[in-house]
Amino acid sequence: VSKAAEDGAFVLAGDDLQLPPIHQADPPKDLERYVGSVFEYVRHVQGVKPISLKVNYRSNKTLVDFTCTAGYDRDLHAY
């Protein structure tokens, strides 16, 4: 990202609902958003609003329907 042209663009994929690392370390106080994932930094510090995917090409309908009960976008559907 730091090497992108001034008018360059990029896609950053992430998922706030994924499980955190198993051996999670405590971040320095008041720096939580700066030492986590790039996705969290861009979303919460830079204020970039995420856009949810609407089609899942990897999982069947049963699995995708289940993920919607876990807080994912209700418009998500299996291909």
Side-chain angles (χ1 to χ4, degrees):
V1 174
S2 67
K3 305 298 182 215
E6 284 191 35
D7 61 345
F10 63 94
V11 173
L12 179 63
D15 185 348
D16 285 338
L17 298 177
Q18 285 186 350
L19 295 174
I22 295 171
H23 297 289
Q24 190 170 2
D26 291 329
K29 184 168 176 37
D30 299 325
L31 295 177
E32 296 84 359
R33 298 288 187 202
Y34 296 91
V35 297
S37 71
V38 173
F39 180 79
E40 281 217 11
Y41 173 81
V42 170
R43 180 174 181 184
H44 298 290
V45 176
Q46 297 297 318
V48 176
K49 184 175 165 71
I51 300 170
S52 296
L53 297 177
K54 302 297 181 195
V55 181
N56 183 320
Y57 292 93
R58 297 180 62 188
S59 303
N60 65 29
K61 181 178 181 341
T62 302
L63 292 174
V64 173
D65 288 349
F66 174 74
T67 61
C68 289
T69 67
Y72 285 88
D73 192 330
R74 293 278 181 189
D75 292 334
L76 179 65
H77 64 276
Y79 180 76

